[in-house]
Amino acid sequence: MTVKSTILQGIRTWLKATSASTALTDYQVIPADDKGLRPTLPYLTVRVGPIGRVGEEEAIHTENVDGDPVVNQLGLRRSIVSVNGYGEGAEEWLARAVLHLGTKAATDALDNGAGIVVVASFDPTDLSALVDTEIEARVQQDFEVFFELESDDEVFVEAETFVVYTDYNSGSLEQTLTITP
Amino acid sequence: MSLLGQTSITRRRYTAGTRATTGYWTTPAATDTTILASVQEASGEDLQVLPEGERKREAVKVYTETAELRTANQHAGIQADRVVISSIVYEVAHTEQRHPLIPHYKALATRLQEGA
């Protein structure tokens, strides 16, 4: 599973669990890029935006199971997740889900399930519009999502000796320093 | 009595689709049937019955005597019929049924993008 699909499914799990007193179904919370039939109203769509970098990566040095020294890169990442609610009632679903962001159900779906932290940084926007001959109720809200990305382990060779060259006025000196574990 | 300019085309009919636990639509199985139909280019006036977003797509009118074509049924989760005419796939977007004088079915089908 890719990083974005993990985020997508984590967000869907949170929305399904907390948007209504009775859990929503897989037909009511769908990926925005789905190409199938639109569900019956109301329903929510979820789109995960591009992944951005937050700050600098950190190099973590550890040992693998063979005792070899390994290094991997750890980086904090941020993405914007856009949730759209279509139809009457979807706005209330979204408001209820935001209200429940700190609850156990949300924490299980987001932090524990998908390894992400969701922040409701933005207010919802009313995008209701004329669709053919009817006004279709639609609300949209963006969320900031933070998570860690970790590179694969890379085995590296530990330095055992250093050669030090020292220049001074009347000549130079070469010294080899050996590290004793 | 047969309709003018009848030709054999393929009707692709789908069973009810489902959604996976990932929320994605699972395209259901389709059954291809050869039917007789009279196919004509759709005029600008014909396209006015289509939803706004579909009026700019290439479309054909499909007249059939007995083979009914159907649009999508959102509640039942059934995709619209598709018709394959000279290897080009169209999706039925609008239907009219049973003209009072000469019983027949009329459907308006819009061309799908390649790869659809």
Side-chain angles (χ1 to χ4, degrees):
Chain A
M1 193 183 271
T2 65
V3 172
K4 287 178 79 167
S5 61
T6 300
I7 296 171
L8 171 71
Q9 296 308 329
I11 296 285
R12 286 187 65 245
T13 305
W14 158 55
L15 291 171
K16 285 191 295 181
T18 62
S19 292
S21 52
T22 305
L24 301 185
T25 68
D26 289 322
Y27 288 73
Q28 292 170 306
V29 186
I30 66 169
D33 62 346
D34 177 62
K35 296 184 177 73
L37 278 184
R38 279 172 57 137
T40 50
L41 297 171
Y43 65 93
L44 303 175
T45 66
V46 181
R47 181 184 299 281
V48 181
I51 296 170
R53 183 169 175 243
V54 180
E56 299 289 328
E57 278 76 24
E58 187 181 358
I60 307 292
H61 295 83
T62 52
E63 282 186 354
N64 64 15
V65 289
D66 299 324
D68 299 321
V70 294
V71 61
N72 52 21
Q73 297 286 112
L74 201 64
L76 183 61
R77 294 293 183 266
R78 171 183 178 267
S79 180
I80 299 292
V81 170
S82 185
V83 179
N84 277 257
Y86 294 85
E88 298 295 339
E91 183 178 354
E92 281 71 24
W93 283 355
L94 204 44
R96 195 176 191 277
V98 172
L99 177 69
H100 285 73
L101 258 178
T103 63
K104 183 178 183 302
T107 305
D108 284 347
L110 301 170
D111 302 62
N112 301 333
I116 58 176
V117 173
V118 174
V119 182
S121 315
F122 310 99
D123 287 332
T125 307
D126 187 355
L127 298 177
S128 300
L130 183 67
V131 176
D132 208 22
T133 57
E134 303 266 334
I135 298 287
E136 182 179 70
R138 179 181 166 195
V139 68
Q140 183 253 340
Q141 186 164 5
D142 287 343
F143 298 89
E144 277 188 299
V145 174
F146 295 94
F147 55 98
E148 277 183 346
L149 268 191
E150 191 173 344
S151 70
D152 295 333
D153 286 351
E154 185 179 46
V155 177
F156 67 94
V157 178
E158 283 183 297
E160 293 176 349
T161 59
F162 293 89
V163 178
V164 180
Y165 298 97
T166 309
D167 290 321
Y168 50 94
N169 290 341
S170 57
S172 64
L173 177 67
E174 179 180 326
Q175 291 174 296
T176 300
L177 305 178
T178 303
I179 298 170
T180 306
Chain B
M1 185 162 60
S2 64
L3 299 172
L4 276 176
Q6 278 197 139
T7 184
S8 292
I9 64 170
T10 300
R11 179 185 71 187
R12 186 161 294 160
R13 176 156 287 181
Y14 294 89
T15 54
T18 55
R19 283 194 184 275
T21 52
T22 56
Y24 282 102
W25 178 259
T26 304
T27 303
T31 305
D32 283 359
T33 310
T34 302
I35 62 171
L36 282 174
S38 173
V39 181
Q40 299 170 24
E41 290 297 317
S43 68
E45 193 177 347
D46 293 325
L47 298 178
Q48 290 304 310
V49 300
L50 296 179
E52 207 169 356
E54 295 197 36
R55 287 179 199 153
K56 290 180 180 172
R57 291 163 69 178
E58 182 187 327
V60 291
K61 288 184 286 189
V62 182
Y63 294 92
T64 59
E65 260 190 300
T66 53
E68 187 176 3
L69 294 170
R70 66 186 185 198
T71 55
N73 184 335
Q74 201 174 339
H75 291 277
I78 298 174
Q79 291 178 230
D81 284 341
R82 292 179 179 182
V83 288
V84 185
I85 304 163
S86 303
S87 302
I88 298 173
V89 183
Y90 297 83
E91 189 164 74
V92 176
H94 175 80
T95 57
E96 295 171 22
Q97 296 179 355
R98 299 196 183 284
H99 190 280
L101 298 177
I102 306 171
H104 68 273
Y105 298 100
K106 176 186 173 184
L108 204 54
T110 55
R111 184 174 179 170
L112 290 177
Q113 291 179 331
E114 283 182 31

